[in-house]
Amino acid sequence: MKKLEQEAKAQIDQAEAENKAEETKQKAAAQAVVDAKGPTSLPDWTPQVPQFTPSGPPARKLVDGEPKVIVTGTSPLSPGALCDAWDKFANPKFSHERGGSEFNHNADLFVSYGNSEDNTMVKLEAERKAGAKITHVTISSPLPLPSPADQGD
């Protein structure tokens, strides 16, 4: 019985080590995309954000392990008004999603669009705390990861 337990533990340890190695490899690939030279811009079709003041140029960042192009800034408009403006972009060629929450006068809303032709996506996130006069805006678009075949597995 002891031998079976040891064998099972060895298999579990090996599987955990393989998973950790794969995670490390995926993180490295995502970081390589962020570090790569090349254009740092949102898709050309990205809807305009009314009265948006960017805090800087678009940047490549790793967000929750996913490489993205990010633009942050502010707008005096409410999150709902910003999302309503993006809703007007609706086009049958693009998938569309709107969600978020408004609770105790705090608003955290988003609108996203995806283009199935080239697999590009863009998301507007608008957040305003209760009593605030400014909405914090983040516009993001995922950067494509290289396929496993491109990584030389």
Side-chain angles (χ1 to χ4, degrees):
M1 194 66 165
K2 193 82 158 160
K3 186 177 180 186
L4 285 175
E5 286 177 8
Q6 288 174 337
E7 287 174 4
K9 184 174 178 357
Q11 288 175 344
I12 290 170
D13 290 346
Q14 182 180 352
E16 286 176 353
E18 288 171 2
N19 286 346
K20 194 168 193 162
E22 184 62 30
E23 283 177 22
T24 300
K25 191 174 174 183
Q26 288 173 351
K27 285 179 186 175
Q31 188 63 50
V33 169
V34 170
D35 295 341
K37 301 284 185 230
T40 302
S41 60
L42 296 167
D44 293 340
W45 53 265
T46 301
Q48 293 297 308
V49 180
Q51 299 182 37
F52 175 67
T53 305
S55 58
R60 291 172 176 245
K61 294 184 180 179
L62 207 54
V63 179
D64 297 329
E66 184 179 14
K68 294 184 178 190
V69 171
I70 303 276
V71 178
T72 58
T74 58
S75 174
L77 299 178
S78 72
L82 293 171
C83 289
D84 289 346
W86 262 43
D87 280 339
K88 290 178 184 166
F89 174 75
N91 180 322
K93 185 168 114 170
F94 297 95
S95 63
H96 170 261
E97 181 181 3
R98 180 172 175 164
S101 64
E102 292 186 63
F103 187 70
N104 288 338
H105 307 288
N106 288 312
D108 188 4
L109 305 175
F110 74 87
V111 175
S112 64
Y113 284 99
N115 182 345
S116 59
E117 289 178 4
D118 61 5
N119 289 328
T120 55
M121 184 178 185
V122 70
K123 182 176 187 177
L124 166 96
E125 296 175 77
E127 181 180 3
R128 183 182 278 189
K129 300 289 183 203
K133 304 261 188 266
I134 299 291
T135 299
H136 293 276
V137 179
T138 302
I139 307 162
S140 63
S141 180
L143 289 165
L145 283 170
S147 69
D150 296 339
Q151 295 177 28
D153 269 344

